Amino acid sequence: MRTKTIVLYKSSTGFTKRYAELIAKELRCALADYKTIPTKTLSQYDCIIFGSRAFAGTIDGFRKAQKRFQKYTAAKLILFVTGATPNTEIDTINTFWSQNLTADELIKIPHFYMQGGLCYEKMALPDKLMMKMAALILKKKKNKTSQDKEFEQAITHSYDISSEDCIQPLIMYLRNCK
């Protein structure tokens, strides 16, 4: 029996949408913007892949989406998150996961991080202001650590470090499950 899969995404600046499109194309499955799909439609799927952004240390919209998925479907949930942190920052990414998922969820929900970037041109004004404020605070900080300096440099301008290769761990996981 073939698993019916859908990739849902919540994207603000385009990185998550781009990854969702790549995943759906690779898996030859359905794709939808989380905000536009009727909840009843989700019951048709055995596997829901939900993608969103890392935002202020959280997974943007995940808890609300998770409740929606649990209420109407018993589908397997897979999570991916995009962010401006490079994939090589494993400790930072693992800390992010442990702050956003319970110990049980860390085991039961397959989760994948995909580096994206920052796009000030597409950011909503409140997000843009928050980032600029963080940059200003860091600029004025005395005794900066090397991590502070790197972060300050990283949030001062738009950049794109996304790569099609970032979807491969998720794709491999799904192929190994079938």
CSV table of all heavy atoms in Angstrom, one decimal, residues 77-106:
chain,number,residue,atom,x,y,z
A,77,LEU,N,3.2,12.6,11.4
A,77,LEU,CA,3.7,13.9,11.3
A,77,LEU,C,5.2,14.0,11.2
A,77,LEU,O,5.9,13.4,12.0
A,77,LEU,CB,3.2,14.8,12.5
A,77,LEU,CG,3.7,16.2,12.5
A,77,LEU,CD1,3.2,17.0,11.3
A,77,LEU,CD2,3.2,16.9,13.8
A,78,ILE,N,5.7,14.7,10.2
A,78,ILE,CA,7.1,14.9,10.1
A,78,ILE,C,7.3,16.5,10.0
A,78,ILE,O,6.5,17.2,9.4
A,78,ILE,CB,7.7,14.3,8.8
A,78,ILE,CG1,7.5,12.8,8.9
A,78,ILE,CG2,9.1,14.7,8.5
A,78,ILE,CD1,7.8,12.0,7.6
A,79,LEU,N,8.3,16.9,10.7
A,79,LEU,CA,8.5,18.4,10.8
A,79,LEU,C,9.8,18.8,10.2
A,79,LEU,O,10.8,18.1,10.4
A,79,LEU,CB,8.5,18.7,12.3
A,79,LEU,CG,8.9,20.1,12.8
A,79,LEU,CD1,7.8,21.1,12.3
A,79,LEU,CD2,8.9,20.2,14.3
A,80,PHE,N,9.8,19.9,9.5
A,80,PHE,CA,11.0,20.6,9.1
A,80,PHE,C,11.0,22.0,9.4
A,80,PHE,O,9.9,22.7,9.3
A,80,PHE,CB,11.4,20.3,7.6
A,80,PHE,CG,10.7,21.0,6.6
A,80,PHE,CD1,11.2,22.2,6.1
A,80,PHE,CD2,9.6,20.5,6.0
A,80,PHE,CE1,10.5,22.9,5.1
A,80,PHE,CE2,8.9,21.2,5.0
A,80,PHE,CZ,9.3,22.4,4.5
A,81,VAL,N,12.1,22.6,9.7
A,81,VAL,CA,12.2,24.0,10.1
A,81,VAL,C,13.3,24.6,9.3
A,81,VAL,O,14.4,24.0,9.2
A,81,VAL,CB,12.4,24.2,11.6
A,81,VAL,CG1,12.7,25.6,12.0
A,81,VAL,CG2,11.2,23.7,12.4
A,82,THR,N,13.1,25.8,8.8
A,82,THR,CA,14.1,26.6,8.1
A,82,THR,C,14.6,27.7,9.0
A,82,THR,O,13.8,28.2,9.8
A,82,THR,CB,13.6,27.1,6.8
A,82,THR,OG1,12.5,28.0,7.0
A,82,THR,CG2,13.1,26.0,5.9
A,83,GLY,N,15.8,28.1,8.8
A,83,GLY,CA,16.3,29.2,9.6
A,83,GLY,C,17.6,29.8,9.0
A,83,GLY,O,18.2,29.2,8.1
A,84,ALA,N,18.1,30.8,9.6
A,84,ALA,CA,19.3,31.5,9.1
A,84,ALA,C,20.6,30.9,9.7
A,84,ALA,O,21.7,31.3,9.3
A,84,ALA,CB,19.2,33.0,9.5
A,85,THR,N,20.5,30.0,10.6
A,85,THR,CA,21.6,29.3,11.2
A,85,THR,C,22.2,28.3,10.2
A,85,THR,O,21.4,27.5,9.7
A,85,THR,CB,21.3,28.6,12.5
A,85,THR,OG1,20.8,29.6,13.4
A,85,THR,CG2,22.4,27.9,13.1
A,86,PRO,N,23.5,28.3,9.9
A,86,PRO,CA,24.0,27.3,9.0
A,86,PRO,C,23.9,25.9,9.6
A,86,PRO,O,23.9,25.7,10.8
A,86,PRO,CB,25.5,27.6,9.0
A,86,PRO,CG,25.6,29.1,9.4
A,86,PRO,CD,24.5,29.3,10.4
A,87,ASN,N,23.7,24.9,8.8
A,87,ASN,CA,23.5,23.5,9.2
A,87,ASN,C,24.7,23.0,10.0
A,87,ASN,O,24.6,22.0,10.8
A,87,ASN,CB,23.4,22.6,8.0
A,87,ASN,CG,22.0,22.6,7.4
A,87,ASN,OD1,21.0,23.1,8.0
A,87,ASN,ND2,21.8,22.2,6.2
A,88,THR,N,25.9,23.6,9.9
A,88,THR,CA,27.1,23.2,10.6
A,88,THR,C,27.0,23.5,12.1
A,88,THR,O,27.8,23.0,12.9
A,88,THR,CB,28.3,23.8,10.0
A,88,THR,OG1,28.1,25.3,10.0
A,88,THR,CG2,28.6,23.3,8.6
A,89,GLU,N,26.1,24.4,12.5
A,89,GLU,CA,26.0,24.8,13.9
A,89,GLU,C,25.1,23.7,14.7
A,89,GLU,O,24.0,24.0,15.1
A,89,GLU,CB,25.4,26.2,14.0
A,89,GLU,CG,26.2,27.3,13.4
A,89,GLU,CD,27.6,27.4,14.2
A,89,GLU,OE1,27.6,27.3,15.4
A,89,GLU,OE2,28.6,27.7,13.5
A,90,ILE,N,25.6,22.5,14.7
A,90,ILE,CA,24.8,21.4,15.3
A,90,ILE,C,24.4,21.6,16.7
A,90,ILE,O,23.2,21.4,17.1
A,90,ILE,CB,25.6,20.1,15.1
A,90,ILE,CG1,25.8,19.8,13.7
A,90,ILE,CG2,24.9,18.9,15.8
A,90,ILE,CD1,26.9,18.7,13.3
A,91,ASP,N,25.3,22.2,17.6
A,91,ASP,CA,24.9,22.4,19.0
A,91,ASP,C,23.7,23.4,19.1
A,91,ASP,O,22.8,23.2,19.8
A,91,ASP,CB,26.1,22.9,19.8
A,91,ASP,CG,27.1,21.8,20.0
A,91,ASP,OD1,26.8,20.6,19.9
A,91,ASP,OD2,28.3,22.1,20.4
A,92,THR,N,23.8,24.5,18.3
A,92,THR,CA,22.7,25.5,18.3
A,92,THR,C,21.4,24.9,17.8
A,92,THR,O,20.4,25.1,18.4
A,92,THR,CB,23.1,26.7,17.4
A,92,THR,OG1,24.4,27.2,17.9
A,92,THR,CG2,22.1,27.7,17.4
A,93,ILE,N,21.5,24.1,16.8
A,93,ILE,CA,20.3,23.5,16.2
A,93,ILE,C,19.7,22.4,17.2
A,93,ILE,O,18.5,22.4,17.5
A,93,ILE,CB,20.6,22.8,14.9
A,93,ILE,CG1,20.9,23.9,13.8
A,93,ILE,CG2,19.4,22.0,14.4
A,93,ILE,CD1,21.6,23.4,12.6
A,94,ASN,N,20.5,21.7,17.9
A,94,ASN,CA,20.0,20.7,18.9
A,94,ASN,C,19.4,21.4,20.1
A,94,ASN,O,18.4,20.9,20.6
A,94,ASN,CB,21.2,19.8,19.3
A,94,ASN,CG,21.5,18.7,18.2
A,94,ASN,OD1,20.7,18.4,17.4
A,94,ASN,ND2,22.7,18.2,18.3
A,95,THR,N,20.0,22.5,20.5
A,95,THR,CA,19.4,23.3,21.6
A,95,THR,C,18.1,23.8,21.1
A,95,THR,O,17.1,23.8,21.9
A,95,THR,CB,20.4,24.5,21.9
A,95,THR,OG1,21.6,23.9,22.4
A,95,THR,CG2,19.7,25.3,23.0
A,96,PHE,N,17.9,24.3,19.9
A,96,PHE,CA,16.7,24.8,19.4
A,96,PHE,C,15.6,23.7,19.4
A,96,PHE,O,14.5,23.9,19.9
A,96,PHE,CB,16.9,25.3,17.9
A,96,PHE,CG,15.6,25.6,17.2
A,96,PHE,CD1,14.9,26.8,17.4
A,96,PHE,CD2,15.0,24.7,16.4
A,96,PHE,CE1,13.7,27.1,16.8
A,96,PHE,CE2,13.8,24.9,15.7
A,96,PHE,CZ,13.2,26.2,15.9
A,97,TRP,N,16.0,22.5,19.0
A,97,TRP,CA,15.0,21.4,19.0
A,97,TRP,C,14.6,21.1,20.5
A,97,TRP,O,13.4,20.9,20.7
A,97,TRP,CB,15.6,20.1,18.4
A,97,TRP,CG,15.7,20.2,16.9
A,97,TRP,CD1,16.8,20.0,16.2
A,97,TRP,CD2,14.6,20.4,15.9
A,97,TRP,NE1,16.5,20.1,14.8
A,97,TRP,CE2,15.2,20.4,14.7
A,97,TRP,CE3,13.3,20.7,16.1
A,97,TRP,CZ2,14.5,20.6,13.5
A,97,TRP,CZ3,12.5,20.9,14.9
A,97,TRP,CH2,13.1,20.9,13.7
A,98,SER,N,15.5,21.0,21.4
A,98,SER,CA,15.2,20.7,22.8
A,98,SER,C,14.4,21.8,23.5
A,98,SER,O,13.6,21.5,24.4
A,98,SER,CB,16.5,20.4,23.6
A,98,SER,OG,17.3,21.5,23.7
A,99,GLN,N,14.5,23.0,23.0
A,99,GLN,CA,13.7,24.1,23.6
A,99,GLN,C,12.2,24.1,22.9
A,99,GLN,O,11.4,24.8,23.5
A,99,GLN,CB,14.3,25.4,23.3
A,99,GLN,CG,15.6,25.6,24.1
A,99,GLN,CD,16.4,26.8,23.8
A,99,GLN,OE1,16.2,27.4,22.7
A,99,GLN,NE2,17.3,27.2,24.7
A,100,ASN,N,12.0,23.4,21.8
A,100,ASN,CA,10.8,23.5,21.1
A,100,ASN,C,10.0,22.2,21.1
A,100,ASN,O,8.8,22.2,20.9
A,100,ASN,CB,11.0,24.0,19.7
A,100,ASN,CG,11.2,25.5,19.6
A,100,ASN,OD1,10.3,26.2,19.6
A,100,ASN,ND2,12.5,25.9,19.6
A,101,LEU,N,10.6,21.1,21.3
A,101,LEU,CA,9.9,19.8,21.4
A,101,LEU,C,10.1,19.2,22.7
A,101,LEU,O,11.2,19.3,23.3
A,101,LEU,CB,10.5,18.9,20.3
A,101,LEU,CG,10.3,19.4,18.8
A,101,LEU,CD1,11.0,18.4,17.9
A,101,LEU,CD2,8.9,19.6,18.4
A,102,THR,N,9.1,18.5,23.2
A,102,THR,CA,9.2,17.8,24.5
A,102,THR,C,10.1,16.6,24.2
A,102,THR,O,10.4,16.2,23.1
A,102,THR,CB,7.8,17.3,24.9
A,102,THR,OG1,7.4,16.3,24.0
A,102,THR,CG2,6.8,18.4,25.1
A,103,ALA,N,10.6,15.9,25.3
A,103,ALA,CA,11.4,14.8,25.2
A,103,ALA,C,10.7,13.7,24.4
A,103,ALA,O,11.3,13.0,23.5
A,103,ALA,CB,11.8,14.2,26.6
A,104,ASP,N,9.4,13.5,24.6
A,104,ASP,CA,8.6,12.5,23.9
A,104,ASP,C,8.5,12.9,22.4
A,104,ASP,O,8.7,12.0,21.5
A,104,ASP,CB,7.2,12.4,24.5
A,104,ASP,CG,6.4,11.3,24.0
A,104,ASP,OD1,7.0,10.1,23.9
A,104,ASP,OD2,5.2,11.5,23.6
A,105,GLU,N,8.3,14.2,22.1
A,105,GLU,CA,8.2,14.6,20.7
A,105,GLU,C,9.6,14.5,20.0
A,105,GLU,O,9.6,14.1,18.8
A,105,GLU,CB,7.8,16.1,20.6
A,105,GLU,CG,6.3,16.3,21.0
A,105,GLU,CD,5.9,17.7,21.2
A,105,GLU,OE1,6.8,18.6,21.5
A,105,GLU,OE2,4.7,18.0,21.0
A,106,LEU,N,10.7,14.7,20.7
A,106,LEU,CA,12.0,14.5,20.1
A,106,LEU,C,12.2,13.1,19.5
A,106,LEU,O,12.8,12.9,18.5
A,106,LEU,CB,13.1,14.9,21.1
A,106,LEU,CG,13.3,16.4,21.3
A,106,LEU,CD1,14.2,16.6,22.5
A,106,LEU,CD2,13.9,17.1,20.1
